[in-house]
Amino acid sequence: MTLATPTLSRPAALTDDRIGQAQSAFLLGVQQQADGDQRAAQMSFRRALVLQPDLAEAWSNLGLLLEDDGLMDEAAACYQKAVRCDATLYAAHLNLATLQAQRQQFDAAEASYRRAIALRPDDPAVWSNLGAMLTCMRREDDAQACLVQALRLDPGYDKARFNLGYLWMRQGRWAEGFLCNEGRDFPSVLQGKLGLTRWSGDSLVGRSLLIATDAAHGDLVHMVRYVPLLKAMGASRVAIWGHPALKTWLSTAEGLDRYIAFDEAFAPTQWDCWAPLMSLPFLCGSTVDAVPAGLPYLQADPQWAARRAAQGMARGADGALRVGLVWRGNPLHENDAQRSLPSLAALAPLWRVPGVRFFSLQSGAGSEAALHPPAGQPLEVLAEPLGDFAQTAAVVANLDLLIGVDTSMVHVAGALGKPVWVLLSDYKTDWRWLNQRTDSPWYPGVMRLFRQDASGPHAGQWAPVIERVAQALGVLAAAEAPPAVQGASKVN
């Protein structure tokens, strides 16, 4: 979701010497802030406030700087001070509302947004921001009304269009949502770098197409399924320009003629046209009932998979399920605090399920927890690092099931046609998982979605989700166990 950048405010004309000095210090701070000199700007705003403690504009802009430094409590206090000094200061209300929304203080944020709207009802930014927040709150009718109002005020306001697209895509209204999503910013940056004609969905017969990755690793694993379709539409050659860690694996994708890593030099003029990766569903006319979903659409290297099996991942005679676990995502992701589990310990209910071997597929943030798991957590750590995604695919090929939060790993498993259970946060759930569904049209027959409750006493909590997963895992393990194990009973 996109929130508009809070505006910088300037003071009204001031008269006496002390107040004039305060104004000078404030204006210097505004210039320093615009130049990117955050520390100097803070000092200037603080100097202005020593001279004139009720200078609301300085409080508001100081809050913005403190927010950039991650000092959220201090920033909120500055915004609140600003609106106490001047209840008509629009920027302070908008800044405060935006911060409160980011901290999921929804009632307070809505009140702040409404006060900002009362001051400036013709600004599309505040309507867009409020609509984005209401989308996160699942108040979708109210959210749509706000976003439509933003676009009514300014039909060219792409942030509102993007937010509306996200809402519609999550509702399954893909034709409308994908069209709105075409207003996102990054493709124009790629256009400037490539200088090629951007494919608009017209005939590809005899033309070569370069797919430029405008999203994360998991998105590329998800969307590479479109390459055979593009070939069927007549493309003479299809290439991907993408993440280096995916080159070895995705170079084997059906129909792909070349994979160019971001760190490689190449001549864009070798291609007739280009398309952003995340525009492919739109350009190919995908709907919820019609996506290229033949599984598997990627394969693991059989020799690497066999090597992993020989290193201890082969299924034993006891029939124990081999289950991979991923509990954290990339901490740089905007919603990682919500989509990731707080710790490995959150998965503790799984350990009581008999007949299961658990493997850590966690990499990066959180991987150290697998080396020293809490007592009683039977977690196996692989003998060597996963390496790039080709190695990861070889590991997943040896699993019976992957359980993970919404990261690239669930797409790896899905693309390989492996059973995968995805743990979904209710807050800012990604559009591709739609609303309420427990399965996915992208990975039919292999993916189950376990969602946080959207309302009630357990809304937004992980514990009930993990309990449901543990129960489902118990049923699966019992069904997969050899007959002798199924009939065994505990003797006291």
Side-chain angles (χ1 to χ4, degrees):
M1 305 293 284
T2 302
L3 293 175
T5 304
T7 48
L8 299 177
S9 50
R10 296 174 179 270
L14 304 168
T15 53
D16 65 36
D17 258 4
R18 188 175 176 85
I19 293 180
Q21 291 173 30
Q23 181 181 31
S24 297
F26 173 82
L27 292 175
L28 176 60
V30 170
Q31 185 59 54
Q32 291 164 331
Q33 194 169 13
D35 293 341
D37 193 345
Q38 304 266 62
R39 295 287 168 245
Q42 278 199 38
M43 291 177 62
S44 294
F45 292 142
R46 292 186 188 280
R47 189 178 307 117
L49 290 167
V50 168
L51 293 164
Q52 186 185 350
D54 63 349
L55 184 54
E57 293 86 352
W59 283 115
S60 181
N61 288 6
L62 178 59
L64 193 56
L65 292 170
L66 294 171
E67 187 176 343
D68 288 343
D69 284 345
L71 302 172
M72 301 305 183
D73 289 339
E74 293 86 342
C78 285
Y79 297 145
Q80 288 162 347
K81 180 71 173 176
V83 298
R84 284 197 298 270
C85 292
D86 183 357
T88 68
L89 185 59
Y90 171 78
H93 289 289
L94 181 58
N95 292 350
L96 179 58
T98 302
L99 177 56
Q100 290 167 330
Q102 290 169 348
R103 303 179 85 184
Q104 299 183 47
Q105 298 168 348
F106 295 133
D107 290 343
E110 183 172 1
S112 296
Y113 277 133
R114 298 290 182 191
R115 284 190 284 269
I117 286 171
L119 291 168
R120 197 175 295 177
D122 58 349
D123 186 354
V126 64
W127 287 104
S128 178
N129 283 15
L130 177 56
M133 187 190 76
L134 293 173
T135 299
C136 295
M137 297 170 67
R138 304 280 177 177
R139 290 170 51 185
E140 297 192 348
D141 290 343
D142 293 337
Q144 177 172 310
C146 289
L147 296 168
V148 168
Q149 174 64 10
L151 290 170
R152 187 177 294 119
L153 291 167
D154 181 359
Y157 194 66
D158 283 339
K159 291 179 179 179
R161 181 167 288 104
F162 177 85
N163 289 338
L164 184 59
Y166 171 91
L167 172 61
W168 282 343
M169 288 189 296
R170 200 172 69 181
Q171 292 176 339
R173 297 168 61 178
W174 283 1
E176 302 151 292
F178 288 157
L179 180 59
C180 288
N181 194 46
E182 290 301 285
R184 64 196 188 278
D185 293 334
F186 194 55
S188 11
V189 176
L190 292 173
Q191 179 70 62
K193 291 181 177 181
L194 295 171
L196 297 173
T197 299
R198 182 169 167 180
W199 181 47
S200 60
D202 49 326
S203 175
L204 278 176
V205 175
R207 302 168 73 190
S208 57
L209 174 69
L210 176 66
I211 300 169
T213 303
D214 60 337
H217 295 81
D219 299 294
L220 183 45
V221 174
H222 182 205
M223 294 298 174
V224 72
R225 68 180 70 221
Y226 280 93
V227 172
L229 179 57
L230 295 168
K231 280 294 190 67
M233 293 169 67
S236 59
R237 289 185 301 142
V238 177
I240 289 175
W241 181 39
H243 307 287
L246 282 164
K247 179 173 181 175
T248 302
W249 189 33
L250 295 196
S251 291
T252 66
E254 179 186 352
L256 189 66
D257 296 289
R258 186 179 174 190
Y259 189 104
I260 307 161
F262 285 145
D263 54 4
E264 294 180 61
F266 78 104
T269 51
Q270 297 173 357
W271 311 96
D272 294 320
C273 54
W274 79 282
L277 177 77
M278 298 308 291
S279 292
L280 294 181
F282 168 68
L283 294 168
C284 294
S286 293
T287 66
V288 173
D289 299 318
V291 297
L295 301 178
Y297 58 86
L298 290 172
Q299 306 290 334
D301 183 284
Q303 292 185 339
W304 289 1
R307 189 177 304 129
R308 286 292 184 179
Q311 291 173 344
M313 290 196 71
R315 192 166 188 179
D318 62 357
L321 287 179
R322 299 159 298 172
V323 177
L325 298 176
V326 180
W327 56 93
R328 292 280 301 276
N330 184 340
L332 298 179
H333 187 278
E334 64 166 350
N335 196 39
D336 193 62
Q338 280 71 45
R339 70 168 183 166
S340 290
L341 298 181
S343 69
L344 172 59
L347 292 172
L350 303 187
W351 316 142
R352 67 172 183 256
V353 179
V356 180
R357 294 173 63 195
F358 294 103
F359 294 87
S360 170
L361 272 70
Q362 184 65 47
S363 61
S367 58
E368 67 286 347
L371 300 174
H372 307 286
Q377 293 192 351
L379 187 64
E380 299 182 42
V381 179
L382 298 172
E384 57 188 75
L386 294 182
D388 68 12
F389 277 79
Q391 289 285 353
T392 302
V395 170
V396 175
N398 282 283
L399 296 176
D400 300 302
L401 171 68
L402 177 76
I403 299 174
V405 295
D406 184 9
T407 69
S408 60
M409 291 300 302
V410 301
H411 295 288
V412 172
L416 292 170
K418 284 288 180 179
V420 52
W421 296 355
V422 188
L423 316 179
L424 292 179
S425 163
D426 181 63
Y427 182 72
K428 290 189 177 180
T429 313
D430 191 85
W431 65 267
R432 78 195 78 201
W433 309 130
L434 303 166
N435 283 331
Q436 300 179 335
R437 288 182 64 148
T438 58
D439 66 338
S440 170
W442 299 103
Y443 302 104
V446 300
M447 180 173 282
R448 288 181 64 180
L449 306 177
F450 291 80
R451 299 174 181 270
Q452 288 181 342
D453 292 343
S455 59
H458 303 299
Q461 296 181 17
W462 283 118
V465 178
I466 306 304
E467 284 294 338
R468 292 198 298 271
V469 171
Q471 292 170 13
L473 185 59
V475 172
L476 179 63
E480 293 289 327
V485 176
Q486 290 178 344
S489 61
K490 182 176 180 180
V491 178
N492 292 318

